Each structure stands twice: as C-alpha cells, then as structure tokens.
Amino acid sequence: MQETVKQQIKDLLKERNGILLAHNYMRDEVQEIADITGDSLALSQEAARTDKELIVFCGVHFMAESAAILAPDKTVLLPRLDAGCPMADMVTAEELLKFKARHPGAPVVTYVNSSADVKAVSDICCTSANAVRVVESLQDEEIIFAPDRNLGQYIARTSAKKFHFWDGYCPTHERLKAENVLKLKEDNPDALFVCHPECNPAVVALADHVCSTTGMYDYCRKSPATRFIIGTEAGILYRLRQENPGKEFIIASPALICPNMKLTSLEDILAALQTLQPVVTVPEEVRIPAKRALDRMLAVPRD
Ligand code: 13P
Ligand code: SF4
C-alpha cells in the first residue's frame, strides 16, 4: 500500500514538474521519498534555486512561506496547512515593532522560524546554521533577536554585542532537561552529546557540539566517535542511522518529538499533488520586505 502511494507521488511529481523538499524532522517515509532533505537554510536555498514549477514543502508553515517568498513564480504546496510552529506563533509583527521602538537603532535579527509578517519588519533573517555569522556580519553593537531566546543566548555566548531577546522558545526542544542529559552521559561515558541551539542554555552548556540539524549529519559522520547522544527532534535519527551504520545514536529524551513536524503523511502529499492544494502564498506588500531580510541572510558569506 505504502509502496503504491510512493510510486503515485513520484509519478505526479514528474508529471507536474515538481520537487519534494523535506525537513530533517519529517517522518521517515517522507524523508525517504524526498528529492532533497535538509535544514531550514538548505531548504530555503533549494527553493530559491530550483527550476521546477511546483515545490511540495514537507515541513511547517513558516518554511513553505519562506519558499513562497523566495520563489514567487513557483507554486508552493504545504500538504498539511495545520502544520505550524508554536515558536513562530510567539511573536507578531505588531509586537516586534513595539519592542523595536524600545531599542531605537538596534537592527532586528529574526530566526527563520517566524511568520512572513514578522520577517517583513526585520532587518535580516538567520537560521541555526548561520546565526553566529549573520550577527557577526552586522556592524551594530546592539542587536534585537527574535523569537528564539535560546538560539539568541547561544549566539551571545561568543559575541561582544549587546542583545535584546524576544522571549520565545521551541516547546519541543525546551522539553529536554539538563538532568536527562546528565543521566545519559553518566550511563554512556563514551558517547558525545550533540545538540541543537534551540535547547535551553543549561542543556547547551553540556554539549560537545552545538549545530543545526544538517550540521549534525556532518559532525557525526566525520567524528571518530561511534556513540552519540542526540539533543534535537527525533526525526533526525532516520538519516543519522542510515548514513552511519556502524555508529549508535541515542535520543536524549523521548519527549523530543515535534507534533507539527509529524503531521504530514504520504497520503497528505499524494492528495496535495492530486488537487494542487493547499497553496501557500504571501501578499506582495509583505513578500518584498520579507524577501529583503531573507536575501540579506543568504548573502552573508560562508566561513
Ligand atoms: P534547522 O533545521 O535549521 O536546524 O531548524 C530546526 C527547527 O526547529 C526547524 O523547525
Ligand atoms: Fe517549531 Fe520546534 Fe517544531 Fe521546529 S521543532 S517546528 S521550532 S516547534
């Protein structure tokens, strides 16, 4: 049954000149059929560069919006319109503008986990993969960082700048507690602890390495270590295990499951391709300033 649905998806993608992009947290079977799996940065870059007419975005709403912002001539489908991001919902453009007025002159650096409206009132965006580089690319000594206070504090650890943090967070990563990690480290003294910067600072302080989801694939592949404790959403385990058959990956907590990232099924993808719905669009008056903030991020040179 699943094999038939997968084949139908592949056939329709071909017929409709489409590409299937999937975030690293998606269900295993969705990652398996994706043309590209990646972190938020890689997926937005792919959306910007693809010559396909149709982008089927398997992720959450803000990611499909980023694709629609960067590729306005393409049709962007989000198979589950109800796949949102609670962290992105923790700030509105209106609230951010009021916060900005309290810190005149400080540029707003906004994590891509935010709505198009919020991006539109931001100076520059960042992802977990480039946040440190983005902040360091700015001349300003004071920075407003929204919405993820944890990612903000992670950047601030290595920066001389003064930060004003929005008080948002990822409920999934926040469920991982330092005591979970300490217990696992005690039981597995040879394992390295790798975590995402969306984890709270007490957890990040225990990490051997902190990086984006794609950063974890690179780090675990290159590391001579063979056992890893993983501090991010459990969907990452699919590729980690597939790409490193001789290595062992232990999820740092069974609570590391993002319900929104788990919504999209193969049947949802098939239905989206059959009906060409739901389409994610961004009105031009929002898209243009939001694109400016994303383009500015994409122009920051790599190390
Ligand atoms: P990255 O894939 O950019 O590391 O982001 C993690 C995340 O929480 C996306 O929702
Ligand atoms: Fe949002 Fe966290 Fe889920 Fe990512 S893992 S979509 S940040 S709630």
Side-chain angles (χ1 to χ4, degrees):
M1 168 63 185
Q2 243 199 20
E3 291 316 307
T4 322
V5 178
K6 283 181 193 163
Q7 194 52 53
Q8 286 175 296
I9 291 171
K10 282 183 193 155
D11 294 344
L12 273 171
L13 277 169
K14 209 167 171 188
E15 198 179 299
R16 301 203 186 283
N17 193 22
I19 185 169
L20 199 148
L21 306 181
H23 188 265
N24 295 324
Y25 295 159
M26 287 280 104
R27 296 183 192 189
D28 294 0
E29 63 272 22
V30 173
Q31 294 193 46
E32 192 196 321
I33 55 152
D35 293 300
I36 312 262
T37 53
D39 61 10
S40 311
L41 179 61
L43 295 178
S44 38
Q45 283 169 324
E46 191 54 43
R49 100 165 60 97
T50 183
D51 55 6
K52 301 284 185 192
E53 285 160 31
L54 178 71
I55 299 173
V56 183
F57 212 116
C58 297
V60 290
H61 192 266
F62 75 81
M63 297 180 173
E65 261 190 346
S66 293
I69 291 165
L70 292 168
D73 50 333
K74 313 267 154 62
T75 301
V76 179
L77 300 178
L78 179 68
R80 287 292 295 253
L81 212 46
D82 53 344
C85 169
M87 168 157 54
D89 295 339
M90 286 178 191
V91 62
T92 64
E94 212 180 0
E95 291 166 336
L96 189 56
L97 283 172
K98 279 190 195 151
F99 193 66
K100 195 176 153 119
R102 298 219 303 270
H103 305 287
V108 179
V109 181
T110 297
Y111 191 26
V112 288
N113 296 37
S114 53
S115 68
D117 287 343
V118 164
K119 289 183 177 78
V121 297
S122 304
D123 294 281
I124 187 165
C125 290
C126 74
T127 74
S128 60
N130 62 16
V132 172
R133 272 186 285 129
V134 164
V135 166
E136 288 318 308
S137 75
L138 302 172
Q139 302 297 312
D140 313 76
E141 278 164 19
E142 268 189 50
I143 304 283
I144 294 171
F145 192 85
D148 187 3
R149 65 178 184 219
N150 290 343
L151 177 62
Q153 286 188 53
Y154 169 70
I155 306 162
R157 289 194 331 176
T158 53
S159 173
K161 297 179 195 290
K162 182 175 174 194
F163 287 83
H164 305 284
F165 300 124
W166 189 262
D167 196 21
Y169 61 92
C170 162
T172 298
H173 285 86
E174 197 69 17
R175 284 195 287 274
L176 176 60
K177 304 292 176 209
E179 43 281 25
N180 306 135
V181 180
L182 288 168
K183 174 80 178 70
L184 279 171
K185 276 176 148 270
E186 200 180 303
D187 295 346
N188 302 277
D190 59 320
L192 294 180
F193 175 52
V194 190
C195 82
H196 196 278
E198 285 177 21
C199 293
N200 73 56
V203 167
V204 168
L206 299 171
D208 294 289
H209 190 63
V210 183
C211 56
S212 78
T213 52
T214 293
M216 285 191 197
Y217 299 127
D218 297 339
Y219 179 79
C220 295
R221 191 181 59 248
K222 288 181 191 149
S223 170
T226 56
R227 303 185 74 232
F228 302 86
I229 300 165
I230 300 296
T232 196
E233 211 278 342
I236 188 112
L237 296 172
Y238 171 71
R239 250 177 79 190
L240 278 175
R241 288 180 175 149
Q242 220 182 32
E243 292 175 3
N244 303 278
K247 297 190 177 185
E248 190 188 341
F249 300 95
I250 307 159
I251 196 77
S253 159
L256 280 166
I257 300 214
C258 172
N260 292 284
M261 285 285 186
K262 294 294 173 272
L263 280 175
T264 312
S265 67
L266 291 176
E267 287 72 18
D268 293 326
I269 299 170
L270 181 58
L273 276 161
Q274 285 165 336
T275 58
L276 290 179
Q277 293 288 338
V279 177
V280 172
T281 53
V282 178
E284 278 302 278
E285 66 275 17
V286 175
R287 192 188 72 78
I288 290 166
K291 184 170 186 296
R292 205 174 297 135
L294 280 171
D295 281 344
R296 219 177 142 192
M297 166 187 90
L298 293 170
V300 171
R302 296 191 143 265
D303 293 324

